[in-house]
Structures are given as structure tokens and as C-alpha cells.
Amino acid sequence: MLTQAGNARIAGIGLDLLRLDRAQRVFDRHPQRFVQRILGPDELFVFQRRYQRDPRRGVRYLATRFAAKEAFSKAIGLGMRMPMAWSRMQTLNAPGGRPYVKLSEPLQSWYAQRFGQAHVSVTDEHDIVAAYVVVEAL
């Protein structure tokens, strides 16, 4: 279903909420495996820097990226099935801090044939993180 918002037509919306204690428990049990499975290469670099400075900040970053991937998969209607994979969708920050979506293959080609720009927003509080994704139609 497409809806109109200004000049852009919205093809999909996704929202995800995640309790930080849940992300922390998974990280505590399988730190390397969880990080490697969820984060793409650019996100991994940011995570490692943040985690070295403050482990809580690193896990918070990991949780927001997990939520963004979940929200994105909902917005495009795939869930976590091919060509969607955790590490193929990255949420990075532009120099001013604004988050943006970066896709890798084969998800990138699949997405480009179906959708326009993707908009992502992430936030965190002391016990919860949230991510919201809006995907434009072509």
C-alpha cells in the first residue's frame, strides 16, 4: 500500500523497540558471535571504538543497530529472509550525525529495483532503544 507524504510516496514503514537488558544478555553469552552476525564492516569499526571507551556505550550502539535492521526489514516487507541479512543493512552516521542506510549486495540491487530512499531514525533511553524506518516508493 502506498501513501502520500508531501512529494514522496511511502512504500513501507518499520518500527522496532528493544530492551537494552535483552541485548546485554545476548552479548554477554555470545559477544563475538552476536557482534559479527549483526554488524556490517563499517558498523563494526564504530562499535569497537565505542566499546573500548565504554562497554555500555558499545552495547547501546549494537542494540540501536539491531533495532534499525529489524525496522528496515519490516519496512521492505521481507523480515529476515533473503536477500535481507543482518550485515547487509548498515545504519551509519553522516558527519553532522544524521543516520543513513547503507546497503550491500545482493540486498542493494534487490532494493534498488523496488524502492527509493530509505530514512532511518534511532534513539535510546536508559532501558530501551527504538528504530523507525520509512521507505519511499520509486
Side-chain angles (χ1 to χ4, degrees), residues 11-13 71-81 84 110 115 135:
I13 297 172
F72 180 81
S73 72
K74 294 171 186 175
I76 63 173
L78 277 181
M80 281 300 157
R81 60 182 195 251
M84 180 66 193
W110 180 91
F115 302 104
V135 173

Side-chain angles (χ1 to χ4, degrees), residues 110-132:
W110 180 91
Y111 180 90
Q113 294 173 0
R114 291 162 178 80
F115 302 104
Q117 189 171 358
H119 307 275
V120 61
S121 181
V122 294
T123 189
D124 60 277
E125 289 298 324
H126 72 281
D127 64 342
I128 196 164
V129 300
Y132 189 77

Side-chain angles (χ1 to χ4, degrees), residues 11 13 24-25 29 32 54 59 78 92 94 104 124 132:
I13 297 172
Q24 184 69 58
R25 282 194 310 270
R29 282 195 315 265
Q32 280 296 91
D54 180 354
V59 172
L78 277 181
L92 304 171
S104 60
D124 60 277
Y132 189 77

Side-chain angles (χ1 to χ4, degrees), residues 32-69:
Q32 280 296 91
R33 191 167 75 188
F34 186 42
V35 170
Q36 294 292 330
R37 182 171 185 213
I38 301 303
L39 300 180
D42 299 324
E43 292 171 321
L44 184 58
F45 176 75
V46 175
F47 167 78
Q48 290 169 337
R49 282 192 341 217
R50 289 186 182 191
Y51 189 81
Q52 288 173 353
R53 285 195 309 254
D54 180 354
R56 290 174 306 185
R57 214 170 147 220
V59 172
R60 198 173 284 276
Y61 177 84
L62 178 61
T64 60
R65 274 36 193 188
F66 181 92
K69 292 161 194 289

